[in-house]
Amino acid sequence: EFIVLLPELGRSSDAAKVAGKMLEALKLPFPFEGRELYVTASVGVAIYPHDGGDAETLAKNADAAMYRAKEQGRDNYQLYTAAMNASAVERLALESALRKAVAGRHFEVHFQPQLDFRADRVYGVEALVRWRHPERGLLAPSEFIGVAEVTGLIVPLGLWVLEAACAQVKEWQGQGQPELKVGVNLSARQLQAADVVEQVQRVLRDTGLAPQFLDLEITESSAMQNPEATIATLRELKALGVSISIDDFGIGYSSLNYLKRLPVDTLKIDQTFVRDVTTDADDAAIATAIIALAHTLKLTVVAEGVESREQLAFLASRGCQRMQGHLFSGPLPAEACEAFLARQRQADRPTGRSETIPGD
Ligand code: C2E
Ligand code: MG
Ligand code: MG
């Protein structure tokens, strides 16, 4: 790393010109021991007095701008903006708050019912984590899962979710729903952890949940990070008796070749295809193809994000029986989900059947 000082700067826009010239100059090859080496640079620019009144602040802000240049794919320059520091500071604050939250278990698991349309019943629930943030209230995973992944905090967090979800569903099984399944999302980091199989086995033993009622959801991209190792791990998990779903299917790297070899049971059609399935011919074709692919490979198929009766009708007509989405219910806190399940059991009796499935 180098600091370049431009003490004689006429106008502040000249700093950008100099940065551009430096990048150009570095593009030329460097002759080295009979070979030619190429380097690029990422440059961050901070200007006195606007971006800092002392050397330390200027260097810190130039550094933030340089990181931004690296994020933008390197080989470019970025001028410092206050927002850069704000976002870096925010990320750090989020990380330390998340660390405390994981230690203190300030999370909740919500459950989204999954319906088997033909049998007209709830066959399972998907566990979806929420963070009970002291100031900001209940936070959705999109606000923190990314940071949890990068920092590795997803490993203890995910394990906690697994335990909480299995224990809860075991309890519901005892309340008249003996076959209820639970889907738990497993991140790439968890899947790659050396002890993932032992941990799943331990949780099943501790909670008393029979393995055939646990479904682990992994995404295509996490499976593809290290396909050979993933295949081996999934085989071991399946040997425990649990089932495996590919989540968000269709938006990652779907190597059909690996799909054939991955020991999975279910494809979950990503909600981006379901959203416009009744209005967009391409999405309709993709959803139809995924359903057909699943059937050919003898896999179960679940549609995510079903919000309307029209979507339900389309998917059902193509042979997709299992669905989850706001049409039936969003993710619910445990007590509300318990009430939903109870109502559903009630509705199973021929008299009150239509009350929980608006699409029926
Ligand atoms: P996902 O596993 O694909 O979960 C489905 C997401 O779609 C959930 O968002 C759910 O609330 C939302 N959803 C369900 N039905 C509908 C619908 O009809 N319309 C729309 N627009 N959305 C619907 P959520 O709860 O915000 O979770 C987002 C993602 O965060 C999950 O996507 C999953 O990838 C991740 N996630 C959640 N909990 C965990 C966890 O415990 N561990 C890990 N590793 N990831 C998790
Ligand atoms: Mg999922
Ligand atoms: Mg999904």
Side-chain angles (χ1 to χ4, degrees), residues 158-320:
L159 192 59
W160 178 82
V161 173
L162 182 68
E163 273 167 348
C166 289
Q168 180 61 77
V169 167
K170 173 71 184 172
E171 191 186 319
W172 285 337
Q173 287 185 341
Q175 298 172 3
Q177 204 103 3
E179 306 267 278
L180 190 70
K181 294 192 77 166
V182 61
V184 179
N185 295 285
L186 210 62
S187 82
R189 288 287 278 262
Q190 288 176 275
L191 192 63
Q192 285 155 14
D195 61 350
V196 60
V197 180
E198 284 91 328
Q199 293 291 3
V200 171
Q201 192 168 25
R202 182 187 61 74
V203 170
L204 289 170
R205 197 178 51 229
D206 289 356
T207 59
L209 187 76
Q212 69 267 32
F213 300 117
L214 174 62
D215 186 67
L216 296 172
E217 299 191 2
I218 59 169
T219 61
E220 288 165 272
S221 45
S222 65
M224 288 306 145
Q225 276 181 22
N226 190 349
E228 295 304 331
T230 302
I231 290 171
T233 305
L234 293 185
R235 286 215 178 104
E236 285 182 55
L237 286 169
K238 289 211 38 136
L240 297 180
V242 306
S243 60
I244 311 285
S245 292
I246 304 260
D247 204 354
D248 307 340
F249 186 77
I251 61 165
Y253 315 89
S254 344
S255 161
L256 296 177
N257 194 34
Y258 274 117
L259 181 64
K260 192 181 66 181
R261 294 183 49 213
L262 282 176
V264 301
D265 306 272
T266 302
L267 300 184
K268 297 188 76 178
I269 308 174
D270 190 69
Q271 48 182 280
T272 53
F273 304 121
V274 173
R275 192 176 303 134
D276 297 321
V277 83
T278 55
T279 52
D280 183 314
D282 293 340
D283 286 342
I286 292 169
T288 304
I290 295 175
I291 296 167
L293 176 70
H295 287 159
T296 309
L297 293 174
K298 303 212 162 39
L299 303 175
T300 307
V301 60
V302 180
E304 291 194 281
V306 178
E307 295 179 350
S308 72
R309 302 166 73 129
E310 291 74 26
Q311 292 165 343
L312 177 147
F314 179 92
L315 293 159
S317 77
R318 295 298 188 278
C320 175

Side-chain angles (χ1 to χ4, degrees), residues 3-10 12 14-19 22 45 47:
I3 289 184
V4 177
L5 290 174
L6 303 174
E8 310 276 295
L9 207 60
S12 46
D14 288 347
K17 281 192 193 144
V18 175
M22 283 164 43
V45 181
I47 294 165

Side-chain angles (χ1 to χ4, degrees), residues 3-7 9 11-16 19 43-66 77-82 84-85:
I3 289 184
V4 177
L5 290 174
L6 303 174
L9 207 60
R11 287 173 307 167
S12 46
S13 60
D14 288 347
V43 183
V45 181
I47 294 165
Y48 175 87
H50 183 262
D51 300 333
D54 54 67
E56 198 186 333
T57 311
L58 280 172
K60 186 178 79 149
N61 290 345
D63 206 44
M66 181 195 71
Y77 66 84
Q78 294 288 325
L79 303 178
Y80 171 76
T81 66
M84 284 173 186
N85 243 342

Side-chain angles (χ1 to χ4, degrees), residues 42-123:
S42 303
V43 183
V45 181
I47 294 165
Y48 175 87
H50 183 262
D51 300 333
D54 54 67
E56 198 186 333
T57 311
L58 280 172
K60 186 178 79 149
N61 290 345
D63 206 44
M66 181 195 71
Y67 275 102
R68 183 89 189 116
K70 286 181 194 280
E71 280 169 19
Q72 296 288 310
R74 298 164 189 265
D75 195 20
N76 73 102
Y77 66 84
Q78 294 288 325
L79 303 178
Y80 171 76
T81 66
M84 284 173 186
N85 243 342
S87 75
V89 167
E90 216 172 82
R91 215 167 29 228
L92 266 182
L94 182 67
E95 184 182 328
S96 85
L98 193 58
R99 238 171 244 291
K100 285 196 198 114
V102 169
R105 308 193 163 176
H106 303 153
F107 295 91
E108 277 178 25
V109 182
H110 286 198
F111 296 88
Q112 183 172 35
Q114 301 176 308
L115 279 91
D116 187 312
F117 171 67
R118 196 173 296 169
D120 193 12
R121 66 181 181 101
V122 177
Y123 68 90

